[in-house]
Amino acid sequence: MRLVIARCTVDYVGRLSSHLPSAKRLLIVKADGSVSIHADDRAYKPLNWMSPPCRLEESPGVWRVVNKAGEELRIQLEEVFEDSSHVFGPDPGLQKDGVEAHLQELLAAAPHTFGEGFSLVRREYMTAIGPVDLLCRDAAGAHVAVEIKRRGEIDGVEQLTRYLELLNRDPLLTPVAGIFAAQEIKPQARVLAEDRGIRCVVVDYDRLRGTKKDELTLF
């Protein structure tokens, strides 16, 4: 991982254009090829980013980060305060509790649980900020990202929202819809999810394991 602290301006040129005026920022270049720009607020969420695969072209005072769709992050480096690189090695990833992990396994084996014609693309589909539990296709062939929790709360909806924001920037995936699946979904989480166009699915762990008749309740 490469960490650069610099005063810079940033322009995003693509389907949408954006501009970040001159300020001191943290630039992160990860081993997966992603590049993200951070301010000293907003918690972990970057101001702008480019998801892999992309290429970084460096020239004096200028970075050009270009993805396969030809979209570009153009970073003008006015003053560099720190530039360091670190080798992290393999990461074991987030360890889910037993029920949540088993729910993911069971739903991956039965994607039709989410609707007729659903199929699994991949478990733990990686994004620049972490893996989404399941990436599926619906009956029409459109991609659907599924986030699975034992108890569905607002932070889970926020997590899925961030994944969807990234996935929908990939021209090979967009449009990507979202499903928030849990054994129990809190009312506030359901309201937030529905407001963002995310479908909520309440699943019965015992039925999925085959100890009860397989059923699904949709909200």
Side-chain angles (χ1 to χ4, degrees):
M1 182 182 294
R2 183 180 177 188
L3 305 175
V4 177
I5 299 175
R7 183 171 299 280
C8 62
T9 63
V10 183
D11 289 280
Y12 186 88
V13 182
R15 290 171 295 173
L16 299 173
S17 296
S18 64
H19 174 73
L20 293 172
S22 178
K24 193 174 182 179
R25 299 186 175 96
L26 169 65
L27 314 177
I28 300 178
V29 183
K30 292 188 176 180
D32 64 2
S34 63
V35 178
S36 55
I37 299 101
H38 298 259
D40 196 17
D41 61 7
R42 298 165 59 94
Y44 48 80
K45 188 173 183 180
L47 296 167
N48 215 325
W49 67 91
M50 189 70 80
S51 301
C54 58
R55 68 180 187 276
L56 171 59
E57 301 173 357
E58 294 187 58
S59 57
V62 180
W63 286 11
R64 292 181 66 247
V65 188
V66 185
N67 66 14
K68 57 188 175 183
E71 297 174 310
E72 178 180 334
L73 270 180
R74 190 174 302 146
I75 305 170
Q76 301 279 346
L77 301 172
E78 300 168 355
E79 184 178 4
V80 176
F81 303 99
E82 182 175 336
D83 187 343
S84 61
S85 297
H86 310 269
V87 177
F88 280 39
D91 190 280
L94 178 67
Q95 301 297 312
K96 295 179 178 288
D97 68 53
V99 172
E100 198 169 302
H102 197 210
L103 271 173
Q104 183 190 119
E105 180 183 345
L106 291 169
L107 290 169
H112 59 273
T113 300
F114 302 115
E116 186 177 351
F118 267 68
S119 60
L120 178 69
V121 175
R122 189 180 304 171
R123 286 180 63 184
E124 300 286 339
Y125 187 90
M126 185 56 64
T127 75
I129 58 172
V132 63
D133 290 329
L134 304 179
L135 184 66
C136 300
R137 286 184 185 272
D138 64 17
H143 287 96
V144 181
V146 182
E147 184 63 25
I148 301 166
K149 300 293 183 186
R150 183 169 61 178
R151 176 178 296 174
E153 300 188 19
I154 284 177
D155 58 350
V157 178
E158 294 284 8
Q159 182 180 1
L160 179 54
T161 299
R162 294 190 294 272
Y163 289 147
L164 290 171
E165 186 177 357
L166 283 172
L167 293 169
N168 274 299
R169 289 178 62 169
D170 188 334
L172 297 181
L173 297 178
T174 190
V176 184
I179 291 178
F180 189 50
Q183 290 178 275
E184 173 191 1
I185 299 178
K186 296 295 185 179
Q188 300 93 333
R190 184 179 296 114
V191 169
L192 180 62
E194 291 175 351
D195 182 66
R196 296 180 176 181
I198 294 170
R199 181 157 63 100
C200 291
V201 174
V202 176
V203 294
D204 188 309
Y205 183 48
D206 290 330
R207 290 191 177 96
L208 283 171
R209 289 189 301 167
T211 57
K212 294 182 182 179
K213 183 180 178 181
D214 189 20
E215 290 182 6
L216 180 71
T217 303
L218 302 181
F219 294 87

